[in-house]
Amino acid sequence: MPYSLSVVVATPAHSGLRAALSYRSESALAPGTLVRVPLGKREVLGVVWDPPEAAVPAGIEERSVIATLDELPPLAAAWRRLVDFAAGYYQRGLGEVALAALPPQLRDLDPVQLARRLKRRKPDLSAAQGTAESGPALTPQQQAVLAGIAGTDADPGKPYLLFGATGSGKTEVYLQATARALAADPQAQILILVPEINLTPQLLSRFVERFGVGQVVAMHSGLTPPQRLASWLAAHAALARIVLGTRMAVFASIPNLRLIVVDEEHDPSYKQQEGARYSARDLAVLRGRLQAAPVVLGSATPSLESWQASETGRYQRLAMPERVGAGVLPEVRLVDMNLQPKRTLLAPALLEAIAKRVALGEQSLIFLNRRGYAPVLACTACDWKSDCPHCSAFRVFHKIDRTLRCHHCGLGERVPRACPACGNVDIVPVGRGTEQLEEQIAALLGSVNAPGEDGQTRPVRVARIDADTTRTKGSLEAQLAQVHAGNVDVLVGTQMVTKGHDFRRITLVAAVNPDSALYSSDFRAPERLFSLLMQAAGRAGRDAVQAGSSQMWVQTWNPHHELFEALRRHDFPAFAAAQLKEREAAGMPPFAFQALVRAEARTQAAALAWLQAARDGAEGLAPAGQVFIYAPVPMGLQRVANVERAQLLVESASRPALQRFLASWQEVLHGLREPGLIRWAVDVDPLAV
Ligand code: ADP
Ligand code: ZN
Ligand code: ZN
């Protein structure tokens, strides 16, 4: 007697409302089993879902499962519940989310090829356990935190917020918590999430060093498809004990998961910006509950969502306020730009401080979050500016190859010899990017000498790290190595250099122009700025010997802003309290819950019309007063690559009410038609509004 099975397959994004399709099989298959099934004219990968018994819609002929990948253990129930939740919560198709969570190569292999791959990776359990080297003796505050994470028996899936200053030894806590979990259970597996690929190699090497190369696999978008498959298979078959990866790794199949770490939990890169717009941090918390594994969210500047959760006790807060050893946090100096001569690049006092560091053989990091030479090129005779013809943005002047480049659509052109509008040859850069900063700092420090070999002196070396200098593979690593080796005196960079790096010789960090976030329309801009500046400050004085004299300089037009006041005292709790008070008064997250609907169309009118129809169609779907739907508006960056963009904000004081509304709204949204509409998407818990 054949069986009817429900199987999820990757159906196109918006037909995903049908959760699973029904297929016939000659044998009963457990939920989670991977199968190959026919879909239209193609043969695709599918996952048997539960309940496995499917009701066959009348009048539809059921097609048969083509093959079963029975070399692989079925995907666990906890994994299926995670995918169910993510699809439902982020308003996407179940099949889309389930299949996107699997390594792409798995879709292409037949059972025979797969069996071959599996044999290639022999279990390497020789090094499995109690073999983890113990690492340094923990500081008392590290011990207290580790003991705190241990007290989990009553509530095994509990989330912890590890609020630890930069350099307080959070990574060592992750390592020792991992060692302990592995020692406690010979089957245990651990998941470590990091925000960016950039930071993966460093942390990966620390875990490999500690636990052995056979124990750890990496998962991130920088891997080749065969590497990704190999990592996935090792985790799924419980051969790898430690899975370390970026946001996608939250969906890895890890059957014996006993601990999850989310490093730098505040980092916006945990939010996926395409397809199912999930937050890997939030899914990690859910996953901990599903698999009864404690979740450690670590940060020196937690997201205000997590901070608030630790205020109410939903997450347990564990604090490490002090740096390891004699390390102290850098002294913060605010430079009031109102008191500087006009057009000051670096205040004289800051320049002098940098020169002093150079003379001492110490390194400085100058931080400016804008790459290129100048954000705009303008004509001095008429009002011509370097607009991008395809976007509502300026093209950026890059001096190195004399181009104007749009950072949104990629359009690049040589700088015109004269103003395209009036022919005037005097066209000038307006504003400043890292390329210009590097050039000007090199000029300003031209007469300063650094100590060289044999008591000789040598000219100062200025280097820059940003997206432009690190385009080729391996170039970031190479440039960081130059900094670590001491071959750079002054490093200029974007936020790329402020995150996570364990620089040992940097004793001075300066932010030269951070004020724009204070005027942003995005209510999260101050939170992001504070975190960025604290992270940047965290790069200074990481070596205890020099820490005492390390400094963080901030040039600002608003030195009395409470954000900078809190920064000066390294007082995240005060900053968070002030922000949360404002957010509560204004009814904003984390005291309210939001979703955005974004529409892209040929014309702005079409985008707005589609959103207005969506708004009209929401009428009566939520009880009065529970869900507030704002009027559609053009997005801040309204046009990109000739596509017009608009959005509509939905808000509720109740997460369940918002969820119920969004679910019932789906059918309306899918049914709307508007000439000129290109695509639309829902973003639940959006990070940028
Ligand atoms: P964080 O991740 O909190 O910024 P790290 O874990 O990178 O801090 O630790 C900062 C530095 O202190 C690292 O060089 C690390 O090796 C060192 N360290 C951490 N814990 C200890 C310890 N218990 N004893 C000695 N050194 C430690
Ligand atoms: Zn002109
Ligand atoms: Zn453009």
Side-chain angles (χ1 to χ4, degrees), residues 288-301:
R289 291 265 176 233
L290 289 171
Q291 294 191 266
V295 182
V296 179
L297 309 172
S299 179
T301 52

Side-chain angles (χ1 to χ4, degrees), residues 129-134 138 142-153 160 172-186 188 190 207 210-211 241-242 258-259 294 296 318:
Q129 271 333 22
T131 57
E133 292 304 326
S134 44
L138 292 181
Q142 285 172 324
Q143 282 173 19
V145 161
L146 209 58
I149 301 169
T152 55
D153 288 354
Y160 296 91
E172 191 57 41
V173 168
Y174 307 152
L175 287 162
Q176 304 247 359
T178 298
R180 205 183 50 194
L182 293 179
D185 175 351
I190 317 296
F207 273 83
R210 192 68 63 87
F211 298 103
R241 309 289 305 278
I242 300 166
R258 295 291 176 270
L259 173 71
V296 179
L318 305 165

Side-chain angles (χ1 to χ4, degrees), residues 388-395 406-411 639-641:
C388 174
H390 308 306
C391 307
S392 45
F394 294 116
R395 281 174 299 165
C406 175
H407 288 185
H408 303 285
C409 72
L411 178 73
R639 188 165 47 102
V640 171

Side-chain angles (χ1 to χ4, degrees), residues 171 178 282 327 338-339 341 508 546 607 636 646 675:
T171 310
T178 298
D282 296 351
N338 301 292
L339 306 179
L508 184 149
Q546 305 162 328

Side-chain angles (χ1 to χ4, degrees), residues 669-688:
L669 298 180
H670 284 285
L672 291 176
R673 298 284 174 269
E674 177 68 40
L677 185 86
I678 297 167
R679 64 182 146 249
W680 60 272
V682 179
D683 187 350
V684 181
D685 302 332
L687 275 190

Side-chain angles (χ1 to χ4, degrees), residues 345-346 351 354-355 358 366 373 399 432 434-449 459-463 490 492:
L345 168 70
L346 295 180
L351 195 62
I354 296 172
V358 173
I366 318 296
Y373 192 85
K399 191 175 179 184
R432 181 188 305 124
T434 44
E435 201 185 326
Q436 187 176 163
L437 188 62
E438 177 193 17
E439 179 186 284
Q440 292 176 329
I441 288 178
L444 287 169
L445 295 175
S447 60
V448 175
N449 284 315
V460 61
R461 291 165 303 196
V462 181
V490 180
V492 174

Side-chain angles (χ1 to χ4, degrees), residues 533-659:
L533 294 176
M534 286 281 275
Q535 290 295 328
R539 298 317 109 211
R542 294 179 71 81
D543 192 310
V545 179
Q546 305 162 328
S549 67
S550 69
Q551 288 175 340
M552 162 85 180
W553 291 66
V554 180
Q555 296 195 152
T556 171
W557 297 88
N558 302 274
H560 303 297
H561 195 287
E562 66 182 11
L563 186 150
F564 296 124
E565 286 291 326
L567 182 75
R568 217 160 43 79
R569 302 189 309 265
H570 302 282
D571 194 346
F572 174 81
F575 171 74
Q579 283 285 309
L580 285 169
K581 209 167 137 201
E582 275 179 32
R583 300 249 192 117
E584 187 167 24
M588 284 191 291
F591 303 97
F593 302 90
Q594 296 180 328
L596 274 182
V597 188
R598 294 213 168 94
E600 299 186 356
R602 296 273 162 240
T603 63
Q604 184 62 222
L608 290 170
W610 187 89
L611 289 170
Q612 187 55 50
R615 191 179 187 221
D616 296 341
E619 196 82 33
L621 289 183
Q626 276 203 355
V627 174
F628 190 78
I629 305 173
Y630 289 81
V633 289
M635 282 179 64
L637 186 61
Q638 182 176 326
R639 188 165 47 102
V640 171
N642 287 323
V643 172
E644 291 285 340
R645 301 144 23 114
Q647 68 180 32
L648 170 160
L649 179 66
V650 184
E651 206 170 67
S652 175
S654 151
R655 201 196 287 270
L658 180 62
Q659 277 289 314

